Amino acid sequence: MREGDDVGRDHYAEVDAARKATEVPSDAGAAKLAAQGKLYVRDRLGLLFDTGTFVEDGQLANSLATGLPADGVVTGRGLVEGRPALVVANDPTVKAGSWGARTVEKIVRVTETALRDELPVFWFIDSAGARITDQVDLFPGRRGAGRIFHNQVALSGRVPQICCLFGPSAAGGAYIPSFCDVVIMVEGNASMYLGSPRMAEMVVGEKVSLEEMGGARMHATVSGCGDNLAADDAEAIEQAKAFFSYLPGSWRQPPPSYESGTAAREFTRDLVPAEESQGYDIHDVIDALVDDDSFFEVKPLFAAELVTGFGLLEGQVVGVVANQPAVKGGVLFTDSADKAARFIWLCDAFNVPLIYLADVPGFMIGSVVEREGIIRHGAKMITAVAEATVPTVSVIVRKAYGAGLYAMCGPGFGPDACLALPTAKIAVMGPEAAINAVYFNKIAAIADEAERAAYVAGLRLEYEADIDILRLASDLVIDAIVEPEELRGQLVARLAAAAGKDRRFSERRHGVPPV
């Protein structure tokens, strides 16, 4: 620089102008946000972090370029209800939140900080993907976009990663949500896809809408890539904070604890019908066990035959895995097995005790599910159950048949206690199926209808005597038969007794789960 070139420049004014450009959207950007019912990125962060605690990094990234304030992403740290956390938040008013080279560098730096300091990460995603014009700088290198995903995998199970998807998450960027522990999608705005509808039509000749291709409801109900739906940005952030409230800041810490509460309802003896053919809602049982208004369900719209979620038990965080007899009889399918496995892995990673509520006929059978690989998916769930080392109590609420007993952490999987209600049953299969399987030819050979009915009734009595829960308790198959009204207290006591357990499972690098 020659002497005098800097004369007359107002450095303070230049920096101030560059900073202000990042703090408010352009008029066009603000209008677009308003039309879509979206909040500005900094307003989103205002809802996430405690007032006055957010500290930003890289605010002036790409400030010398025109129209790229902060290079389209806001990064930094703050306190979320008093607990430290990091954030990566796309700004959709800057080239649709697309990634440039400095965008990627900022995100990589956040993930490196998360790894170094073991801090949770909130991902506020609203991005059209990479800028093709910057691909050489942002895509292939050692600090390119691939490093983001690499670091996310390294963070998995180490710190919580919580994603709010406010708009698109396109192409390679769609993998950011997939590596997070929960994905909350704003219905009507959020989408997630590797190839856009236009690209799908060009490449594979498929004509499809954006909602069909990768909309929020599709992902929350069909693919399972989305966990929970939100009506708007504010609700998504509220759900994200609620989810975080059940988890520790890192794998080294216990979950938070809260003031003890009482259950929303009593666990009366008529809450679970004794007759297997009679349906009921397992949410009623959960409400009778966890503290009132504390249950946060994860993936409520996906594979609803299984319920997963967090709750409080006298102020202590627990994870609940429960069969849902009101949906498909509570039978386990490929999707419900996947749903369970991921939730169990999440709880085990972050020291959340597990409660299994079993009322399961087993895994679904038939050519359709066999072609879908139900054996492989079921084995994945059973792998997660076996590997979990957190304090665990399994409750046979009404029945546990076949491999469903194993998938719901039956006695062979070493729960810290396996409890049962007085009317519960454990068997290879239900009485009707068992009798038909073993005695079909003999039953068919009886011509007289009354004689046949009496023969079947006698067989049923013999079979039910074999699987009587009192006999199983007598043989030490289960640890205790518990009255419904005493179950909540038993869960509290059993989990407290297991709090200091040895959590070693198997000496190895890692397993090879059947995924």
Side-chain angles (χ1 to χ4, degrees):
M1 179 181 291
R2 294 174 300 175
E3 186 177 353
D5 283 354
D6 204 37
V7 175
R9 288 184 61 189
D10 187 341
H11 295 283
Y12 287 96
E14 290 176 3
V15 172
D16 187 55
R19 186 180 294 114
K20 284 182 177 178
T22 72
E23 293 174 348
V24 293
S26 65
D27 291 342
K32 187 173 182 180
L33 290 176
Q36 295 176 325
K38 291 182 176 181
L39 296 175
Y40 180 49
V41 61
R42 295 186 181 277
D43 294 329
R44 291 170 178 169
L45 297 183
L47 293 177
L48 174 66
F49 290 115
D50 301 347
T51 303
T53 66
F54 179 58
V55 178
E56 185 171 355
D57 292 316
Q59 184 176 2
L60 299 180
N62 227 1
S63 58
L64 299 182
T66 303
L68 291 171
D71 212 31
V73 66
V74 180
T75 58
R77 72 172 71 197
L79 298 180
V80 178
E81 296 181 343
R83 297 198 291 160
L86 300 163
V87 73
V88 172
N90 298 125
D91 183 351
T93 69
V94 178
K95 290 193 179 296
S98 61
W99 293 4
R102 292 171 182 83
T103 317
V104 169
E105 176 62 23
K106 287 174 70 172
I107 299 173
V108 168
R109 290 186 185 189
V110 170
T111 59
E112 289 174 340
T113 300
L115 287 167
R116 183 189 68 232
D117 297 343
E118 293 195 336
L119 291 174
V121 184
F122 284 83
W123 298 87
F124 281 10
I125 304 301
D126 195 343
S127 171
R131 299 174 204 150
I132 300 300
T133 53
D134 287 17
Q135 66 172 312
V136 174
D137 293 326
L138 71 83
F139 177 68
R142 291 181 178 272
R143 294 188 69 80
R147 195 67 190 178
I148 299 171
F149 310 138
H150 174 279
N151 288 353
Q152 277 194 276
V153 174
L155 288 167
S156 179
R158 191 167 172 182
V159 299
Q161 297 186 80
I162 298 170
C163 176
C164 287
L165 193 47
F166 301 111
S169 183
Y175 285 106
I176 281 183
S178 71
F179 293 122
C180 291
D181 299 313
V182 69
V183 180
I184 300 160
M185 301 183 73
V186 177
E187 191 162 17
N189 280 335
S191 59
M192 186 166 30
Y193 50 84
L194 297 183
S196 67
R198 183 172 60 183
M199 183 178 294
E201 184 174 358
M202 290 175 56
V203 176
V204 298
E206 179 186 18
K207 292 187 177 182
V208 63
S209 70
L210 178 59
E211 181 58 34
E212 293 169 327
M213 171 72 78
R217 184 159 288 272
M218 186 285 289
H219 279 306
T221 59
V222 180
S223 76
C225 292
D227 293 297
N228 292 47
L229 293 179
D232 54 29
D233 290 7
E235 185 186 332
I237 296 168
E238 183 181 352
Q239 286 192 42
K241 293 170 74 172
F243 182 90
F244 182 47
S245 73
Y246 294 96
L247 297 178
S250 80
W251 68 289
R252 300 181 193 275
Q253 304 163 5
S257 59
Y258 301 92
E259 185 177 345
S260 178
T262 57
R265 62 182 301 165
E266 292 183 15
F267 200 152
T268 55
R269 296 185 180 188
D270 61 351
L271 195 59
V272 177
E275 181 55 50
E276 291 179 24
S277 61
Q278 188 174 346
Y280 66 97
D281 190 345
I282 197 66
H283 289 99
D284 293 337
V285 173
I286 295 171
D287 287 345
L289 295 176
V290 301
D291 296 357
D292 187 16
D293 199 30
S294 73
F295 189 62
F296 183 97
E297 188 166 356
V298 178
K299 288 188 182 293
L301 302 178
F302 180 73
E305 64 274 10
L306 188 86
V307 174
T308 56
F310 298 109
L312 300 179
L313 196 58
E314 292 195 352
Q316 303 304 308
V317 177
V318 294
V320 177
V321 179
N323 304 116
Q324 174 58 293
V327 179
K328 301 177 184 177
V331 176
L332 292 167
F333 288 78
T334 54
D335 283 346
S336 40
D338 284 356
K339 174 180 176 177
R342 183 166 174 80
F343 183 75
I344 293 164
W345 278 321
L346 172 68
C347 289
D348 193 53
F350 294 115
N351 312 313
V352 175
L354 281 161
I355 296 172
Y356 293 86
L357 301 176
D359 189 348
V360 59
F363 284 90
M364 189 60 184
I365 62 171
S367 63
V368 173
V369 292
E370 294 295 358
R371 288 172 179 270
E372 291 174 348
I374 194 163
I375 297 171
R376 173 168 52 86
H377 290 272
K380 184 195 308 182
M381 178 179 178
I382 291 171
T383 296
V385 171
E387 287 180 337
T389 60
V390 289
T392 300
V393 177
S394 176
V395 181
I396 314 302
V397 175
R398 185 165 64 173
K399 64 184 178 298
Y401 292 158
L405 173 66
Y406 302 156
M408 295 301 291
C409 200
F413 285 74
D416 295 292
C418 183
L419 311 178
L421 297 184
T423 55
K425 299 174 183 176
I426 296 175
V428 172
M429 62 183 71
E432 288 78 10
I435 291 166
N436 187 65
V438 178
Y439 299 101
F440 177 80
N441 291 333
K442 289 184 178 180
I443 293 170
I446 301 174
D448 183 77
E449 186 174 338
E451 183 183 351
R452 187 189 316 121
Y455 180 65
V456 170
L459 292 174
R460 183 184 177 105
L461 286 174
E462 291 178 11
Y463 189 82
E464 290 188 341
D466 281 342
I467 64 173
D468 180 73
I469 201 66
L470 187 57
R471 174 179 177 174
L472 296 179
S474 176
D475 291 343
L476 300 180
V477 173
I478 61 170
D479 296 300
I481 301 175
V482 181
E483 303 295 332
E485 57 270 23
E486 297 174 355
L487 182 55
R488 176 178 155 92
Q490 278 280 325
L491 293 175
V492 172
R494 300 279 184 168
L495 291 176
K501 67 184 289 187
D502 183 349
R503 292 193 56 189
R504 287 174 294 183
F505 174 66
S506 176
E507 190 71 24
R508 56 186 178 171
R509 286 188 174 85
H510 56 76
V512 185
V515 299

